[in-house]
């Protein structure tokens, strides 16, 4: 069982920056995939970025590539999502998620495999 707690959400103007944090417990970073998802109002949840901490491999969906960065301080059991040049369409409830590397043969960039979820952090982008 992996427990995840997000923080750092809030309001930001278009073109601005925001960093989300997710502290996880119950597993070592080298044994899990970690990802960030988001759910805009009235829409389905979608994966936006993932990381395999054991090899450092990251993945981004096209809509955030070049603007968002997923990284981790695994000594602190924390994964981050740095959001730059944000747009109104980035407004959503952002979730941190994890899955054991041994639970699935799929890569961490397969956003359908995630099993453990945080409670979400709201990000609102508006002028």
């Amino acid at each position: 069982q992996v427990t995840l707690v997000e923080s750092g959400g809030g309001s930001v103007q278009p073109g601005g920056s925001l960093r989300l944090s997710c502290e996880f417990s119950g597993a070592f970073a080298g044994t899990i995939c970690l990802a960030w998802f988001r759910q805009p109002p009235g829409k389905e949840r979608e994966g936006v970025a993932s990381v395999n901490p054991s090899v450092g491999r990251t993945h981004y969906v096209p809509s955030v590539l070049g603007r968002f960065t997923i990284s981790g301080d695994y000594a602190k059991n924390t994964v981050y999502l740095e959001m730059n040049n944000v747009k109104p369409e980035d407004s959503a409830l952002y979730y941190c998620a994890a899955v054991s590397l041994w639970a699935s043969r799929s890569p961490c960039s397969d956003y359908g495999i995630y099993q453990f979820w945080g409670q979400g952090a709201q990000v609102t982008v508006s002028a």
Side-chain angles (χ1 to χ4, degrees):
Q1 183 77 18
V2 182
T3 301
L4 306 111
V5 179
E6 301 95 337
S7 61
S11 296
V12 59
Q13 293 185 341
S17 298
L18 197 67
R19 188 175 79 161
L20 301 179
S21 299
C22 172
E23 185 172 351
F24 59 90
S25 60
F28 294 109
T31 66
I32 56 175
C33 294
L34 291 159
W36 287 94
F37 289 72
R38 66 186 181 186
Q39 186 168 19
K43 297 185 178 181
E44 293 187 355
R45 186 165 57 190
E46 61 174 356
V48 296
S50 67
V51 61
N52 182 334
S54 65
V55 295
R57 186 175 297 122
T58 59
H59 175 270
Y60 301 91
V61 296
S63 60
V64 306
L65 185 64
R67 300 188 299 121
F68 289 11
T69 302
I70 186 171
S71 64
D73 183 344
Y74 302 121
K76 297 181 179 179
N77 274 12
T78 302
V79 63
Y80 304 100
L81 185 69
E82 184 76 34
M83 307 166 61
N84 296 314
N85 189 24
V86 296
K87 304 175 181 180
E89 52 264 41
D90 294 323
S91 296
L93 189 60
Y94 281 74
Y95 296 92
C96 181
V99 63
S100 168
L101 285 171
W102 322 127
S104 172
R105 296 182 181 273
S106 298
C108 297
S109 56
D110 181 349
Y111 294 103
I113 64 174
Y114 287 82
Q115 296 179 330
F116 304 105
W117 300 86
Q119 81 288 353
Q122 182 65 44
V123 173
T124 302
V125 182
S126 67

